[in-house]
Amino acid sequence: MHHMTLAEIARGLADKKFSSVELTQTLLARIAQLDPQINSFISLTQDLALSQAKAADERRANGESGALLGAPIAHKDLFCTQDIRTSCGSKMLDNFKAPYDATVVAKLAAAGAVTLGKTNMDEFAMGSANESSWYGAVKNPWNLEHVPGGSSGGSAAAVAARLLPAATATDTGGSIRQPAAFTNLTGLKPTYGRVSRWGMIAYASSLDQGGPLARTAEDCAILLQGMAGFDPNDSTSIDEPVPDYSAGLNGSLQGLRIGVPKEYFSAGLDPRIAELIHNSIKELEKLGAVIKEISLPNMQHAIPAYYVIAPAEASSNLSRFDGVRFGYRCENPENLEDLYKRSRGEGFGSEVQRRIMVGAYALSAGYYDAYYLKAQKIRRLVKNDFMSAFNEVDIILGPTTPNPAWKLGAKSSDPVAAYLEDVYTITANLAGLPGLSMPAGFVDGLPVGVQLLAPYFQEGRLLNVAHQYQLNTDWHTRTPTGF
Ligand code: GLN
């Protein structure tokens, strides 16, 4: 049962081949058996899952239907879940039980999805390797000595290991697409404003966006359908109608204009990945797509701009964790200042502290113009590059990452080396554009992803292209040995 995709599960439940309770019990047993190898969950919610599954079976018996009714999923542990620990991968929030459900959690529950648990993640979503979690590193099911990517590494590893068919995730600079690439999944970062951020613990508010991680584009369409839509509780949510993503999967690619930026194929890219990307281009050409070389001249400035803006916003967002209102509080503080200092010093890990310091520095008087303002100007140039590219092409294609998943620990003492791995993903966040990563082959037994970017609100186009590609390739069907 554990090999089924969300689409297959929906058909099986509709045809009464099995019940949601049976499926949920099977997957919970599989998680108990296999998760100790990969550490993809922070919390399991067995009781909630079984009661949600039972309720879904009853709704079906009463004539209701729906692709998510009775479907097992899990949430990245930064989506608030009422009365359930929401840790953000941090000691700071180890004792935090959210008083309400995030909009995404509430919407998926209303659609009948069954929550199996909360997945592991880099602390406060800062990272690309899932090694900064207070609950320990997550391992890549394709090779347990390698990282699964981050920060949504728990969601990715769990889905890749067939512990469940799909999970929610978030992407501030690549945290859906990069772990998707590293674990042979399909992951979609929607347009900024497409999915509500209400109840999603903020890292960098102008960049954060929730989205689906699954094995196929077809499943991403199903999960995104349940997540997307206007939310009056999120002032950056956009009131645009949500199309029927599943209905849009079968459009023809005849005449689709694909732009391939020349800057993507620079010296930093592993040549074996470049070759796989060219193979995927050929595959799409066979389906009728037309390829055009384009240029994104400001791409080289994106990493420095992102690593000013994201820490600046983080330093402000994380100021609420002060040991007073919620979360960790140090023992026996001497006075208020000692309480703040030690609660934050003991509650946050080193990467989070580094980012808070960088952000506070960049925002401080005298440095604001030199760093933050400059970074915002670069952000606009990056967006303008995309806007002119999309005058000529319908989607942009390239690698998701310059290298495959690295070994655990290989970059943990050199943060900048890890930051450089985000080169292909962060531009979409700076511009607010939707992006998708899908499986494109293997290098040394490790999965490689191809990234597609589209104009605002064209998630449907990305899913359509990815689905047509997946009907004609089988990379996404490969399973890691032992899972
Ligand atoms: N690796 C990037 C960072 O560390 C992106 C993380 C994310 O998307 N949450 O900031």
Side-chain angles (χ1 to χ4, degrees), residues 68-141:
L68 287 165
L69 187 56
I73 59 160
H75 293 295
K76 183 174 181 179
D77 206 17
L78 55 58
F79 286 99
C80 285
T81 40
Q82 188 169 359
D83 299 329
I84 294 167
R85 174 169 61 181
T86 301
S87 76
C88 239
S90 183
K91 179 179 176 186
M92 182 59 88
L93 290 179
D94 181 53
N95 65 4
F96 176 63
K97 288 190 175 154
Y100 64 93
D101 279 336
T103 298
V104 162
V105 171
K107 278 172 87 87
L108 289 171
V114 172
T115 303
L116 302 184
K118 307 290 296 289
T119 56
N120 204 344
M121 55 180 284
D122 275 306
E123 187 177 5
F124 284 99
M126 298 172 188
S128 315
N130 217 122
E131 292 180 289
S132 75
S133 168
W134 191 63
Y135 301 89
V138 178
K139 317 259 170 67
N140 190 326

Side-chain angles (χ1 to χ4, degrees), residues 275 277-287 291:
E275 194 185 324
I277 300 307
H278 284 118
N279 293 345
S280 68
I281 292 173
K282 281 185 218 136
E283 206 57 57
L284 290 166
E285 275 184 306
K286 277 194 231 155
L287 300 177
I291 309 301

Side-chain angles (χ1 to χ4, degrees), residues 76 125-128 150-151 170-175 203 306-307 355 422:
K76 183 174 181 179
M126 298 172 188
S128 315
S151 63
T170 62
D171 191 313
T172 303
S175 284
Y203 159 18
Y306 172 89
Y307 278 99
R355 304 232 186 162
D422 296 335

Side-chain angles (χ1 to χ4, degrees), residues 122 126-132 145-147 149-150 178 182 268 270 307 350-351 354-355 401-423:
D122 275 306
M126 298 172 188
S128 315
N130 217 122
E131 292 180 289
S132 75
E145 288 179 5
H146 288 248
V147 303
Q178 186 251 20
F182 280 8
D270 182 326
Y307 278 99
S350 58
E351 184 60 25
R354 180 180 296 118
R355 304 232 186 162
T401 63
N403 295 294
W406 54 89
K407 277 204 158 162
L408 283 152
K411 292 185 197 288
S412 33
S413 59
D414 185 358
V416 174
Y419 300 169
L420 294 174
E421 298 291 322
D422 296 335
V423 59

Side-chain angles (χ1 to χ4, degrees), residues 43 66 88 95 106 110 132 164 166 173 231 258 272 285 294 328 376 416:
S43 305
C88 239
N95 65 4
S132 75
L164 77 176
D231 178 6
I258 298 183
R272 298 166 302 173
E285 275 184 306
I294 59 164
Y328 178 79
Q376 290 289 29
V416 174

